[in-house]
Amino acid sequence: MADFGGGDLDALRTEAKEWIAANFPASLKGRPNPMMREERSTPSPEQEAWRKAMGEKGWGVPTWPAAYGGGGLSAAEARVIQQELGRAGAYNPIGGMGVMMFGPTLLEYGTEEQKQEHIPPIVKGELQWCQGFSEPGAGSDLASLQCKAEDKGDQFVINGQKIWTSGAQFADWCFCLVRTDTSKKHEGISFVLFTMHQPGVEVRPIPLIAGNSPFCETFFTDAIADKKNLVGPLNGGWTIAKRLLQHERSGLSGAGGGGFGMGGRGIVQMAKDYVGADDDGRLSDSDLRTRLIMNEMDGRAFQQTAVRSMMESRSNSGPSAATSIMKNAGTRWMQDRAELTLEIMGHQGLGWEGDDFSSEELGAVRGWLGGKATTIYGGSQEVQNNIISKRILGLPDLTNNS
Amino acid sequence: MAVLNEEQSMLRDAAKSWTQEKSPVTAFRKMRDSGVDVGYDANAWNEMAEMGWAGVIIPEEYGGSDFGYLSIGLILEELGRTLTASPLLVSAVGAASALVLGGSDAQKSEWLPKIAEGTAVGALAVDEGAHHNPSKVETTFSGGKITGKKSFVLEGFKADVLIVSAKGPDGVGFYLVRGDDAGVSRTRLALADSRGAANIEFKGAAAEPLTGGAEVVEKVLDRVRAALSAEMLGAAVQAFEVTLDYLKVRVQFGQVIGSFQALQHRAAKMFTDLELARSAVEAALQAIDAGTPDVPELVSLAKAKMGDTFHLVSNEMVQMHGGIGMTDAHDAGFYLKRARAAEAAFGNQAFHRDRYAKIQGY
Ligand SMILES: Cc1cc2nc3c(=O)[nH]c(=O)nc-3n(C[C@H](O)[C@H](O)[C@H](O)COP(=O)(O)OP(=O)(O)OC[C@H]3O[C@@H](n4cnc5c(N)ncnc54)[C@H](O)[C@@H]3O)c2cc1C
Ligand SMILES: Cc1cc2nc3c(=O)[nH]c(=O)nc-3n(C[C@H](O)[C@H](O)[C@H](O)COP(=O)(O)OP(=O)(O)OC[C@H]3O[C@@H](n4cnc5c(N)ncnc54)[C@H](O)[C@@H]3O)c2cc1C
């Protein structure tokens, strides 16, 4: 059984409670995280104050080293912070791709200088990052990317196109995979960083089936990346990209354990309200009931697995191939749940806009559609199965996607 | 795999090496071919008892080690791998926990030490029809006698002591009946999985009540369900590993069949499901040890998830072996048959899904 007890944690808990009480604006209590929405580009003064406070404290990224402004806490201590934020109804205002995937990767592969320059603004939530990986011709087979960077002394000059670049229209910086050698596939890729605020960068938002436009086509015409912003060796970007994708996956699988549609009354109560129950208290649609139970069980077993892998790997750091399992299990569960939610709502679950539908109903439709992306990005479901079969099960790989 | 303490690691290692050396699947095959009526090898059972396995959940004062349910689950998982048949589940978990939870001092003193040393075998007589339904009890207890019919009593054919659910003056509860009582008449069942089971008719057999009523019945059943889930986990993991090995050696179309993505993705799905099921099984056993109130829902979760997973893996084992998987000479059929028998025992997936939802209020 978990034993995170002990006096030190209790002291930290008290400190966290007091600090959150003193710094978290009461008006934001229980409000959604603006980081997760398009309104993030126009934060309110309270939202800004909360971001700054957490940024200074370093608790937005509690386990990152204190040397770069992070919390410098252990995983167990970080959980205490997370629990106390939850208890206070406070969201974590420090997030985005810098936190989820770029920061951890740079901490591992960056030079001291690069870390000093790029980590603190992520910790403080001052700069937003976007991921320039996918191209029209390079999706699952990412290593076939063509966007090229030419060596011009102390700069790289970048020409080409990226696509599906999430948040490119809001981003300040881009971590980008570029081709620096056309004679090799994986060994001709480099990992570079550059500002999005320069003339050679153009972004065009793409509307999604869910009606919003969270990602863009991104065009580079003689865009500039300084040489000091090459991460890892020249033509050594693929290893770093793979590591970053592992962080992306573990972030995404974590989302599965959280709460799609968990806000408010919960899916079971929702089902009772829309569908009704028989005299024994069973949902009156027995077919729906069975599938709902199976989904509830899947979610529970997923959470149990997250706890188990945390207990088992307290010594070893960073994500592993096991994140592929978690990504597939978590996204499968979430998508099934979104489908069940629509089914429970019936015709009311098909509203697109207007006063005839509650915000919960409208949100369910958008969430259902948006959620379809989770088995496509971060390595599609099929790509995760390839990874499990090759890296964990030791079966031969015919795609040669090392 | 759960984080284990030292005793648990030692138990698991001992169980692993004993099953692999002394009780591989060939031993099960031999037992089946011998047609032995109890459905297990008595010598193997003696060796298991000598290692103390039958006393793992029994308190020390009655000759056990009191290591708990996660511990006996680890042993059952290893036994499950090689399909080792034994009364460990129903005697050392079922009957033992019934006595620990509901036995009088006299009943405990008489039976627990014998169960712990394996010299007495206990069995649970609960079901009365084709499906597990512990709330439907027509067997009655009155005037110190039990009357009724029980079906599908695992290891019931020769068990020395029978723990029988029956309706008495205060409702449903457990009663203890001696196997050799003149009022007990047993018919051996020949089942697809070759394990021991019997239908039992009680014609006014002498019985002594256990305490705790229906609550103890449910508690005991949950302990058996969780422990059986651990055995199923071991069997499913082994079925998967044997199949995975085959995918790596069988060549068709000039390459190993494990290079075909149609099979790879099904293997990946099985592996994912096994990991999730393992979490559910271990969480249920740990909850029993910790005595938390969510035991019933966690046990139903474990039995349902494990049932679905073993069902899938045992089917795929046959399918992915092609023609050879259909032959009696191959082990795949043993895992397939065992899967269905274990799924049906103490509540199948449908039973446990319904129970889980009812506990959650829908
Ligand atoms: C909402 C969203 C946000 C995104 N954000 C970003 C971002 O910020 N930055 C970024 O760089 N990219 C981003 N992406 C892109 C994402 O990484 C790609 O969509 C993903 O890599 C899949 O590539 P593709 O779309 O070209 O599909 P394809 O690779 O063409 O895949 C099409 C289908 O074929 C299957 N397939 C492909 N290869 C195999 C194989 N070997 N075996 C079996 N099946 C296979 C896939 O699973 C899929 O079902 C985002 C995508 C979405 C949907
Ligand atoms: C009851 C029974 C009766 C039979 N009767 C006859 C008979 O009268 N005469 C006769 O000649 N034969 C007979 N057969 C043999 C039967 O045709 C073969 O079993 C069948 O062709 C499969 O071959 P295999 O058993 O070698 O399996 P394999 O070909 O080794 O297949 C093993 C597994 O790999 C899968 N697999 C193989 N190739 C691929 C691929 N390219 N992509 C994805 N998956 C693949 C298969 O689907 C299977 O799941 C019989 C078989 C059975 C079970």
Side-chain angles (χ1 to χ4, degrees), chain B residues 252-269:
Chain B
Q252 288 288 277
F253 302 100
Q255 47 200 319
V256 292
I257 58 173
S259 61
F260 299 126
Q261 201 177 48
L263 302 186
Q264 290 184 338
H265 285 195
R266 276 149 61 194
K269 162 92 166 62

Side-chain angles (χ1 to χ4, degrees), chain B residues 216-290:
Chain B
V216 162
V217 173
E218 271 307 304
K219 277 190 175 171
V220 169
L221 287 172
D222 271 340
R223 280 153 175 74
V224 179
R225 291 159 179 157
L228 174 58
S229 301
E231 184 195 320
M232 293 163 77
L233 174 64
V237 167
Q238 183 72 17
F240 174 70
E241 288 177 3
V242 169
T243 306
L244 186 60
D245 287 344
Y246 191 66
L247 297 184
K248 292 176 183 174
V249 298
R250 170 69 173 167
V251 173
Q252 288 288 277
F253 302 100
Q255 47 200 319
V256 292
I257 58 173
S259 61
F260 299 126
Q261 201 177 48
L263 302 186
Q264 290 184 338
H265 285 195
R266 276 149 61 194
K269 162 92 166 62
M270 282 192 267
F271 183 75
T272 303
D273 287 357
L274 282 168
E275 284 297 303
L276 296 175
R278 173 181 291 284
S279 308
V281 171
E282 290 179 354
L285 292 164
Q286 284 167 329
I288 295 172
D289 283 334

